[in-house]
Amino acid sequence: MLTRPNHRTLALALWAACVGAQAQDPSWIQDARQVATQARTVSTSVPPKLLATLTQAIDKGGPDGAIAVCREEAPKLAKAASEQSGWNIRRVSLRQRNPKAAPDAWERAALEDFDRRTAAGESPATLEKGEIVNEANRKEYRYMKALPVQQICVACHGAPDQ
């Protein structure tokens, strides 16, 4: 786990929006604890699948074999989890390599808060944020969970101080 002040957090961002008839009666969003629990469950389902896929790729072809997994398979895993759960899921970072991983304003603020909290000694594994926001005249529940860098990631992405 990284605790350096220059650490940059990778996070899994989820959101669900009230649309159509639900916008008139957003009962699904009334119990924030229930929605937060669902978001937390969904967010913790994707990383183990990615780590297993990365481990298989590295075992088969070394760190070079994992590059395609991060670039191609991780978005597929997020898309499949989105379709299965009904949540919109994506990985975001302040220091992204893929422009599709650039955070929006809400995500940026959460990531910056995660960095401050990590620099203050909080474990990245515990970092999360969830709240109801008004977005484009509809209510959304936004949730973000930090994805601490694992040792397997360092082979390609480098050490935290780099």
Side-chain angles (χ1 to χ4, degrees), residues 126-158:
T126 65
L127 300 176
E128 64 181 347
K129 178 180 181 171
E131 68 180 330
I132 298 169
V133 299
N134 286 317
E135 188 69 34
N137 295 323
R138 64 182 185 186
K139 287 186 177 183
E140 292 182 343
Y141 184 82
R142 304 284 310 257
Y143 176 84
M144 185 175 290
K145 173 133 184 76
L147 297 175
V149 174
Q150 304 291 317
Q151 189 60 39
I152 194 171
C153 306
V154 176
C156 295
H157 292 278

PDB file of all heavy atoms in Angstrom, residues 126-158:
ATOM      1  N   THR A 126      -9.095   1.835   2.296  1.00  0.00           N
ATOM      2  CA  THR A 126     -10.322   2.263   2.976  1.00  0.00           C
ATOM      3  C   THR A 126     -10.977   3.474   2.321  1.00  0.00           C
ATOM      4  O   THR A 126     -12.046   3.893   2.753  1.00  0.00           O
ATOM      5  CB  THR A 126     -10.034   2.618   4.448  1.00  0.00           C
ATOM      6  OG1 THR A 126      -9.174   3.765   4.500  1.00  0.00           O
ATOM      7  CG2 THR A 126      -9.404   1.449   5.182  1.00  0.00           C
ATOM      8  N   LEU A 127     -10.357   4.033   1.308  1.00  0.00           N
ATOM      9  CA  LEU A 127     -10.846   5.283   0.725  1.00  0.00           C
ATOM     10  C   LEU A 127     -12.035   5.065  -0.192  1.00  0.00           C
ATOM     11  O   LEU A 127     -11.974   4.276  -1.135  1.00  0.00           O
ATOM     12  CB  LEU A 127      -9.727   5.973  -0.052  1.00  0.00           C
ATOM     13  CG  LEU A 127      -8.491   6.349   0.755  1.00  0.00           C
ATOM     14  CD1 LEU A 127      -7.423   6.944  -0.150  1.00  0.00           C
ATOM     15  CD2 LEU A 127      -8.841   7.308   1.881  1.00  0.00           C
ATOM     16  N   GLU A 128     -13.107   5.784   0.089  1.00  0.00           N
ATOM     17  CA  GLU A 128     -14.289   5.756  -0.749  1.00  0.00           C
ATOM     18  C   GLU A 128     -15.066   7.048  -0.541  1.00  0.00           C
ATOM     19  O   GLU A 128     -14.895   7.738   0.456  1.00  0.00           O
ATOM     20  CB  GLU A 128     -15.175   4.547  -0.430  1.00  0.00           C
ATOM     21  CG  GLU A 128     -15.748   4.552   0.965  1.00  0.00           C
ATOM     22  CD  GLU A 128     -16.610   3.325   1.264  1.00  0.00           C
ATOM     23  OE1 GLU A 128     -16.979   2.591   0.343  1.00  0.00           O
ATOM     24  OE2 GLU A 128     -16.913   3.123   2.447  1.00  0.00           O
ATOM     25  N   LYS A 129     -15.890   7.354  -1.520  1.00  0.00           N
ATOM     26  CA  LYS A 129     -16.760   8.520  -1.426  1.00  0.00           C
ATOM     27  C   LYS A 129     -18.040   8.190  -2.164  1.00  0.00           C
ATOM     28  O   LYS A 129     -18.010   7.599  -3.237  1.00  0.00           O
ATOM     29  CB  LYS A 129     -16.108   9.749  -2.063  1.00  0.00           C
ATOM     30  CG  LYS A 129     -16.998  10.973  -2.027  1.00  0.00           C
ATOM     31  CD  LYS A 129     -16.368  12.185  -2.650  1.00  0.00           C
ATOM     32  CE  LYS A 129     -17.338  13.360  -2.525  1.00  0.00           C
ATOM     33  NZ  LYS A 129     -16.721  14.606  -2.907  1.00  0.00           N
ATOM     34  N   GLY A 130     -19.165   8.564  -1.586  1.00  0.00           N
ATOM     35  CA  GLY A 130     -20.445   8.371  -2.233  1.00  0.00           C
ATOM     36  C   GLY A 130     -21.388   9.486  -1.848  1.00  0.00           C
ATOM     37  O   GLY A 130     -21.393   9.923  -0.695  1.00  0.00           O
ATOM     38  N   GLU A 131     -22.161   9.957  -2.815  1.00  0.00           N
ATOM     39  CA  GLU A 131     -23.129  11.003  -2.524  1.00  0.00           C
ATOM     40  C   GLU A 131     -24.136  11.137  -3.661  1.00  0.00           C
ATOM     41  O   GLU A 131     -23.883  10.719  -4.788  1.00  0.00           O
ATOM     42  CB  GLU A 131     -22.439  12.348  -2.289  1.00  0.00           C
ATOM     43  CG  GLU A 131     -21.781  12.945  -3.518  1.00  0.00           C
ATOM     44  CD  GLU A 131     -21.114  14.278  -3.245  1.00  0.00           C
ATOM     45  OE1 GLU A 131     -21.570  15.027  -2.365  1.00  0.00           O
ATOM     46  OE2 GLU A 131     -20.131  14.582  -3.928  1.00  0.00           O
ATOM     47  N   ILE A 132     -25.269  11.718  -3.326  1.00  0.00           N
ATOM     48  CA  ILE A 132     -26.286  12.032  -4.322  1.00  0.00           C
ATOM     49  C   ILE A 132     -25.951  13.404  -4.884  1.00  0.00           C
ATOM     50  O   ILE A 132     -25.723  14.347  -4.128  1.00  0.00           O
ATOM     51  CB  ILE A 132     -27.686  12.039  -3.690  1.00  0.00           C
ATOM     52  CG1 ILE A 132     -28.019  10.661  -3.131  1.00  0.00           C
ATOM     53  CG2 ILE A 132     -28.731  12.480  -4.717  1.00  0.00           C
ATOM     54  CD1 ILE A 132     -29.263  10.635  -2.267  1.00  0.00           C
ATOM     55  N   VAL A 133     -25.895  13.503  -6.194  1.00  0.00           N
ATOM     56  CA  VAL A 133     -25.611  14.780  -6.853  1.00  0.00           C
ATOM     57  C   VAL A 133     -26.676  15.049  -7.905  1.00  0.00           C
ATOM     58  O   VAL A 133     -27.322  14.129  -8.408  1.00  0.00           O
ATOM     59  CB  VAL A 133     -24.203  14.793  -7.510  1.00  0.00           C
ATOM     60  CG1 VAL A 133     -23.107  14.594  -6.480  1.00  0.00           C
ATOM     61  CG2 VAL A 133     -24.096  13.740  -8.591  1.00  0.00           C
ATOM     62  N   ASN A 134     -26.872  16.313  -8.215  1.00  0.00           N
ATOM     63  CA  ASN A 134     -27.756  16.700  -9.311  1.00  0.00           C
ATOM     64  C   ASN A 134     -26.890  16.878 -10.548  1.00  0.00           C
ATOM     65  O   ASN A 134     -25.971  17.691 -10.552  1.00  0.00           O
ATOM     66  CB  ASN A 134     -28.493  18.001  -8.996  1.00  0.00           C
ATOM     67  CG  ASN A 134     -29.585  17.788  -7.971  1.00  0.00           C
ATOM     68  OD1 ASN A 134     -30.314  16.812  -8.052  1.00  0.00           O
ATOM     69  ND2 ASN A 134     -29.685  18.689  -7.014  1.00  0.00           N
ATOM     70  N   GLU A 135     -27.200  16.119 -11.560  1.00  0.00           N
ATOM     71  CA  GLU A 135     -26.416  16.146 -12.792  1.00  0.00           C
ATOM     72  C   GLU A 135     -27.381  16.241 -13.964  1.00  0.00           C
ATOM     73  O   GLU A 135     -28.196  15.334 -14.163  1.00  0.00           O
ATOM     74  CB  GLU A 135     -25.569  14.872 -12.875  1.00  0.00           C
ATOM     75  CG  GLU A 135     -24.576  14.845 -13.998  1.00  0.00           C
ATOM     76  CD  GLU A 135     -23.432  15.815 -13.818  1.00  0.00           C
ATOM     77  OE1 GLU A 135     -23.014  16.047 -12.671  1.00  0.00           O
ATOM     78  OE2 GLU A 135     -22.967  16.345 -14.832  1.00  0.00           O
ATOM     79  N   ALA A 136     -27.285  17.310 -14.744  1.00  0.00           N
ATOM     80  CA  ALA A 136     -28.126  17.490 -15.936  1.00  0.00           C
ATOM     81  C   ALA A 136     -29.609  17.297 -15.601  1.00  0.00           C
ATOM     82  O   ALA A 136     -30.314  16.540 -16.256  1.00  0.00           O
ATOM     83  CB  ALA A 136     -27.680  16.551 -17.056  1.00  0.00           C
ATOM     84  N   ASN A 137     -30.075  17.981 -14.552  1.00  0.00           N
ATOM     85  CA  ASN A 137     -31.484  17.939 -14.138  1.00  0.00           C
ATOM     86  C   ASN A 137     -31.977  16.556 -13.731  1.00  0.00           C
ATOM     87  O   ASN A 137     -33.136  16.217 -13.920  1.00  0.00           O
ATOM     88  CB  ASN A 137     -32.383  18.525 -15.226  1.00  0.00           C
ATOM     89  CG  ASN A 137     -32.107  19.999 -15.430  1.00  0.00           C
ATOM     90  OD1 ASN A 137     -31.832  20.712 -14.473  1.00  0.00           O
ATOM     91  ND2 ASN A 137     -32.157  20.434 -16.664  1.00  0.00           N
ATOM     92  N   ARG A 138     -31.087  15.743 -13.225  1.00  0.00           N
ATOM     93  CA  ARG A 138     -31.483  14.445 -12.687  1.00  0.00           C
ATOM     94  C   ARG A 138     -30.577  14.140 -11.496  1.00  0.00           C
ATOM     95  O   ARG A 138     -29.465  14.639 -11.394  1.00  0.00           O
ATOM     96  CB  ARG A 138     -31.390  13.347 -13.735  1.00  0.00           C
ATOM     97  CG  ARG A 138     -29.984  13.097 -14.214  1.00  0.00           C
ATOM     98  CD  ARG A 138     -29.945  12.043 -15.278  1.00  0.00           C
ATOM     99  NE  ARG A 138     -28.557  11.771 -15.604  1.00  0.00           N
ATOM    100  CZ  ARG A 138     -28.171  10.989 -16.554  1.00  0.00           C
ATOM    101  NH1 ARG A 138     -29.060  10.385 -17.305  1.00  0.00           N
ATOM    102  NH2 ARG A 138     -26.897  10.780 -16.793  1.00  0.00           N
ATOM    103  N   LYS A 139     -31.087  13.289 -10.614  1.00  0.00           N
ATOM    104  CA  LYS A 139     -30.294  12.893  -9.461  1.00  0.00           C
ATOM    105  C   LYS A 139     -29.484  11.661  -9.820  1.00  0.00           C
ATOM    106  O   LYS A 139     -29.977  10.753 -10.477  1.00  0.00           O
ATOM    107  CB  LYS A 139     -31.179  12.607  -8.260  1.00  0.00           C
ATOM    108  CG  LYS A 139     -31.753  13.848  -7.638  1.00  0.00           C
ATOM    109  CD  LYS A 139     -32.490  13.509  -6.379  1.00  0.00           C
ATOM    110  CE  LYS A 139     -33.000  14.787  -5.744  1.00  0.00           C
ATOM    111  NZ  LYS A 139     -33.667  14.526  -4.457  1.00  0.00           N
ATOM    112  N   GLU A 140     -28.248  11.669  -9.371  1.00  0.00           N
ATOM    113  CA  GLU A 140     -27.367  10.517  -9.535  1.00  0.00           C
ATOM    114  C   GLU A 140     -26.758  10.192  -8.190  1.00  0.00           C
ATOM    115  O   GLU A 140     -26.512  11.079  -7.382  1.00  0.00           O
ATOM    116  CB  GLU A 140     -26.200  10.820 -10.472  1.00  0.00           C
ATOM    117  CG  GLU A 140     -26.552  11.036 -11.895  1.00  0.00           C
ATOM    118  CD  GLU A 140     -25.321  11.285 -12.762  1.00  0.00           C
ATOM    119  OE1 GLU A 140     -24.231  11.599 -12.234  1.00  0.00           O
ATOM    120  OE2 GLU A 140     -25.478  11.153 -13.971  1.00  0.00           O
ATOM    121  N   TYR A 141     -26.517   8.926  -7.969  1.00  0.00           N
ATOM    122  CA  TYR A 141     -25.701   8.537  -6.833  1.00  0.00           C
ATOM    123  C   TYR A 141     -24.325   8.253  -7.396  1.00  0.00           C
ATOM    124  O   TYR A 141     -24.149   7.387  -8.250  1.00  0.00           O
ATOM    125  CB  TYR A 141     -26.240   7.286  -6.116  1.00  0.00           C
ATOM    126  CG  TYR A 141     -25.420   6.978  -4.887  1.00  0.00           C
ATOM    127  CD1 TYR A 141     -25.662   7.653  -3.699  1.00  0.00           C
ATOM    128  CD2 TYR A 141     -24.375   6.075  -4.933  1.00  0.00           C
ATOM    129  CE1 TYR A 141     -24.890   7.417  -2.576  1.00  0.00           C
ATOM    130  CE2 TYR A 141     -23.599   5.816  -3.818  1.00  0.00           C
ATOM    131  CZ  TYR A 141     -23.860   6.491  -2.643  1.00  0.00           C
ATOM    132  OH  TYR A 141     -23.083   6.261  -1.539  1.00  0.00           O
ATOM    133  N   ARG A 142     -23.343   9.031  -6.963  1.00  0.00           N
ATOM    134  CA  ARG A 142     -21.957   8.855  -7.422  1.00  0.00           C
ATOM    135  C   ARG A 142     -21.178   8.166  -6.313  1.00  0.00           C
ATOM    136  O   ARG A 142     -21.322   8.479  -5.139  1.00  0.00           O
ATOM    137  CB  ARG A 142     -21.318  10.223  -7.724  1.00  0.00           C
ATOM    138  CG  ARG A 142     -22.049  11.103  -8.728  1.00  0.00           C
ATOM    139  CD  ARG A 142     -21.902  10.701 -10.170  1.00  0.00           C
ATOM    140  NE  ARG A 142     -20.585  10.457 -10.666  1.00  0.00           N
ATOM    141  CZ  ARG A 142     -19.880  11.286 -11.429  1.00  0.00           C
ATOM    142  NH1 ARG A 142     -20.341  12.463 -11.761  1.00  0.00           N
ATOM    143  NH2 ARG A 142     -18.688  10.927 -11.875  1.00  0.00           N
ATOM    144  N   TYR A 143     -20.319   7.247  -6.701  1.00  0.00           N
ATOM    145  CA  TYR A 143     -19.523   6.499  -5.742  1.00  0.00           C
ATOM    146  C   TYR A 143     -18.146   6.272  -6.338  1.00  0.00           C
ATOM    147  O   TYR A 143     -18.014   6.005  -7.536  1.00  0.00           O
ATOM    148  CB  TYR A 143     -20.181   5.143  -5.446  1.00  0.00           C
ATOM    149  CG  TYR A 143     -19.369   4.269  -4.527  1.00  0.00           C
ATOM    150  CD1 TYR A 143     -19.446   4.424  -3.148  1.00  0.00           C
ATOM    151  CD2 TYR A 143     -18.527   3.291  -5.033  1.00  0.00           C
ATOM    152  CE1 TYR A 143     -18.703   3.611  -2.300  1.00  0.00           C
ATOM    153  CE2 TYR A 143     -17.782   2.482  -4.190  1.00  0.00           C
ATOM    154  CZ  TYR A 143     -17.870   2.640  -2.828  1.00  0.00           C
ATOM    155  OH  TYR A 143     -17.129   1.850  -1.991  1.00  0.00           O
ATOM    156  N   MET A 144     -17.147   6.387  -5.502  1.00  0.00           N
ATOM    157  CA  MET A 144     -15.785   6.107  -5.948  1.00  0.00           C
ATOM    158  C   MET A 144     -15.060   5.353  -4.850  1.00  0.00           C
ATOM    159  O   MET A 144     -15.192   5.677  -3.671  1.00  0.00           O
ATOM    160  CB  MET A 144     -15.042   7.398  -6.272  1.00  0.00           C
ATOM    161  CG  MET A 144     -13.679   7.136  -6.858  1.00  0.00           C
ATOM    162  SD  MET A 144     -12.843   8.646  -7.376  1.00  0.00           S
ATOM    163  CE  MET A 144     -13.823   9.085  -8.781  1.00  0.00           C
ATOM    164  N   LYS A 145     -14.319   4.347  -5.264  1.00  0.00           N
ATOM    165  CA  LYS A 145     -13.504   3.540  -4.346  1.00  0.00           C
ATOM    166  C   LYS A 145     -12.089   3.495  -4.891  1.00  0.00           C
ATOM    167  O   LYS A 145     -11.875   3.226  -6.066  1.00  0.00           O
ATOM    168  CB  LYS A 145     -14.062   2.126  -4.248  1.00  0.00           C
ATOM    169  CG  LYS A 145     -13.197   1.184  -3.448  1.00  0.00           C
ATOM    170  CD  LYS A 145     -14.009   0.391  -2.477  1.00  0.00           C
ATOM    171  CE  LYS A 145     -13.168  -0.503  -1.598  1.00  0.00           C
ATOM    172  NZ  LYS A 145     -12.461   0.194  -0.547  1.00  0.00           N
ATOM    173  N   ALA A 146     -11.124   3.777  -4.009  1.00  0.00           N
ATOM    174  CA  ALA A 146      -9.719   3.735  -4.409  1.00  0.00           C
ATOM    175  C   ALA A 146      -9.311   2.302  -4.718  1.00  0.00           C
ATOM    176  O   ALA A 146      -9.783   1.353  -4.091  1.00  0.00           O
ATOM    177  CB  ALA A 146      -8.837   4.299  -3.298  1.00  0.00           C
ATOM    178  N   LEU A 147      -8.445   2.158  -5.699  1.00  0.00           N
ATOM    179  CA  LEU A 147      -7.852   0.872  -6.046  1.00  0.00           C
ATOM    180  C   LEU A 147      -6.365   0.965  -5.704  1.00  0.00           C
ATOM    181  O   LEU A 147      -5.580   1.491  -6.487  1.00  0.00           O
ATOM    182  CB  LEU A 147      -8.006   0.575  -7.540  1.00  0.00           C
ATOM    183  CG  LEU A 147      -9.420   0.426  -8.071  1.00  0.00           C
ATOM    184  CD1 LEU A 147      -9.401   0.270  -9.582  1.00  0.00           C
ATOM    185  CD2 LEU A 147     -10.102  -0.755  -7.419  1.00  0.00           C
ATOM    186  N   PRO A 148      -5.962   0.498  -4.526  1.00  0.00           N
ATOM    187  CA  PRO A 148      -4.549   0.588  -4.166  1.00  0.00           C
ATOM    188  C   PRO A 148      -3.677  -0.155  -5.172  1.00  0.00           C
ATOM    189  O   PRO A 148      -4.049  -1.217  -5.670  1.00  0.00           O
ATOM    190  CB  PRO A 148      -4.477  -0.083  -2.796  1.00  0.00           C
ATOM    191  CG  PRO A 148      -5.874  -0.030  -2.270  1.00  0.00           C
ATOM    192  CD  PRO A 148      -6.768  -0.115  -3.481  1.00  0.00           C
ATOM    193  N   VAL A 149      -2.541   0.410  -5.460  1.00  0.00           N
ATOM    194  CA  VAL A 149      -1.602  -0.221  -6.383  1.00  0.00           C
ATOM    195  C   VAL A 149      -1.091  -1.506  -5.746  1.00  0.00           C
ATOM    196  O   VAL A 149      -0.660  -1.517  -4.595  1.00  0.00           O
ATOM    197  CB  VAL A 149      -0.428   0.734  -6.707  1.00  0.00           C
ATOM    198  CG1 VAL A 149       0.627   0.039  -7.544  1.00  0.00           C
ATOM    199  CG2 VAL A 149      -0.944   1.974  -7.425  1.00  0.00           C
ATOM    200  N   GLN A 150      -1.174  -2.582  -6.497  1.00  0.00           N
ATOM    201  CA  GLN A 150      -0.693  -3.884  -6.049  1.00  0.00           C
ATOM    202  C   GLN A 150       0.727  -4.098  -6.588  1.00  0.00           C
ATOM    203  O   GLN A 150       1.136  -3.456  -7.550  1.00  0.00           O
ATOM    204  CB  GLN A 150      -1.615  -4.988  -6.580  1.00  0.00           C
ATOM    205  CG  GLN A 150      -3.071  -4.824  -6.206  1.00  0.00           C
ATOM    206  CD  GLN A 150      -3.311  -5.043  -4.725  1.00  0.00           C
ATOM    207  OE1 GLN A 150      -2.765  -5.972  -4.131  1.00  0.00           O
ATOM    208  NE2 GLN A 150      -4.103  -4.190  -4.122  1.00  0.00           N
ATOM    209  N   GLN A 151       1.445  -5.004  -5.992  1.00  0.00           N
ATOM    210  CA  GLN A 151       2.804  -5.308  -6.453  1.00  0.00           C
ATOM    211  C   GLN A 151       2.813  -5.694  -7.925  1.00  0.00           C
ATOM    212  O   GLN A 151       3.715  -5.326  -8.671  1.00  0.00           O
ATOM    213  CB  GLN A 151       3.430  -6.419  -5.599  1.00  0.00           C
ATOM    214  CG  GLN A 151       4.901  -6.631  -5.875  1.00  0.00           C
ATOM    215  CD  GLN A 151       5.735  -5.386  -5.607  1.00  0.00           C
ATOM    216  OE1 GLN A 151       5.503  -4.661  -4.648  1.00  0.00           O
ATOM    217  NE2 GLN A 151       6.703  -5.118  -6.466  1.00  0.00           N
ATOM    218  N   ILE A 152       1.790  -6.402  -8.367  1.00  0.00           N
ATOM    219  CA  ILE A 152       1.702  -6.836  -9.760  1.00  0.00           C
ATOM    220  C   ILE A 152       1.672  -5.637 -10.723  1.00  0.00           C
ATOM    221  O   ILE A 152       2.123  -5.722 -11.851  1.00  0.00           O
ATOM    222  CB  ILE A 152       0.471  -7.751  -9.963  1.00  0.00           C
ATOM    223  CG1 ILE A 152       0.545  -8.483 -11.293  1.00  0.00           C
ATOM    224  CG2 ILE A 152      -0.824  -6.969  -9.834  1.00  0.00           C
ATOM    225  CD1 ILE A 152      -0.521  -9.557 -11.442  1.00  0.00           C
ATOM    226  N   CYS A 153       1.155  -4.501 -10.264  1.00  0.00           N
ATOM    227  CA  CYS A 153       1.037  -3.300 -11.099  1.00  0.00           C
ATOM    228  C   CYS A 153       2.383  -2.611 -11.310  1.00  0.00           C
ATOM    229  O   CYS A 153       2.608  -1.965 -12.334  1.00  0.00           O
ATOM    230  CB  CYS A 153       0.075  -2.296 -10.458  1.00  0.00           C
ATOM    231  SG  CYS A 153      -1.542  -2.963 -10.057  1.00  0.00           S
ATOM    232  N   VAL A 154       3.260  -2.727 -10.323  1.00  0.00           N
ATOM    233  CA  VAL A 154       4.518  -1.983 -10.317  1.00  0.00           C
ATOM    234  C   VAL A 154       5.447  -2.416 -11.451  1.00  0.00           C
ATOM    235  O   VAL A 154       6.225  -1.607 -11.966  1.00  0.00           O
ATOM    236  CB  VAL A 154       5.204  -2.122  -8.937  1.00  0.00           C
ATOM    237  CG1 VAL A 154       6.560  -1.455  -8.912  1.00  0.00           C
ATOM    238  CG2 VAL A 154       4.309  -1.517  -7.860  1.00  0.00           C
ATOM    239  N   ALA A 155       5.349  -3.670 -11.900  1.00  0.00           N
ATOM    240  CA  ALA A 155       6.222  -4.156 -12.974  1.00  0.00           C
ATOM    241  C   ALA A 155       6.089  -3.306 -14.242  1.00  0.00           C
ATOM    242  O   ALA A 155       7.071  -3.042 -14.920  1.00  0.00           O
ATOM    243  CB  ALA A 155       5.916  -5.614 -13.283  1.00  0.00           C
ATOM    244  N   CYS A 156       4.875  -2.871 -14.536  1.00  0.00           N
ATOM    245  CA  CYS A 156       4.653  -2.056 -15.749  1.00  0.00           C
ATOM    246  C   CYS A 156       4.533  -0.563 -15.433  1.00  0.00           C
ATOM    247  O   CYS A 156       5.030   0.274 -16.189  1.00  0.00           O
ATOM    248  CB  CYS A 156       3.380  -2.495 -16.457  1.00  0.00           C
ATOM    249  SG  CYS A 156       3.452  -4.164 -17.115  1.00  0.00           S
ATOM    250  N   HIS A 157       3.872  -0.242 -14.343  1.00  0.00           N
ATOM    251  CA  HIS A 157       3.570   1.150 -14.049  1.00  0.00           C
ATOM    252  C   HIS A 157       4.660   1.847 -13.242  1.00  0.00           C
ATOM    253  O   HIS A 157       4.618   3.073 -13.101  1.00  0.00           O
ATOM    254  CB  HIS A 157       2.227   1.259 -13.313  1.00  0.00           C
ATOM    255  CG  HIS A 157       1.069   0.895 -14.171  1.00  0.00           C
ATOM    256  ND1 HIS A 157       0.493   1.781 -15.067  1.00  0.00           N
ATOM    257  CD2 HIS A 157       0.394  -0.277 -14.317  1.00  0.00           C
ATOM    258  CE1 HIS A 157      -0.497   1.178 -15.702  1.00  0.00           C
ATOM    259  NE2 HIS A 157      -0.590  -0.075 -15.275  1.00  0.00           N
ATOM    260  N   GLY A 158       5.598   1.114 -12.698  1.00  0.00           N
ATOM    261  CA  GLY A 158       6.699   1.710 -11.956  1.00  0.00           C
ATOM    262  C   GLY A 158       6.389   1.892 -10.485  1.00  0.00           C
ATOM    263  O   GLY A 158       5.244   1.767 -10.056  1.00  0.00           O
TER     264      GLY A 158
END
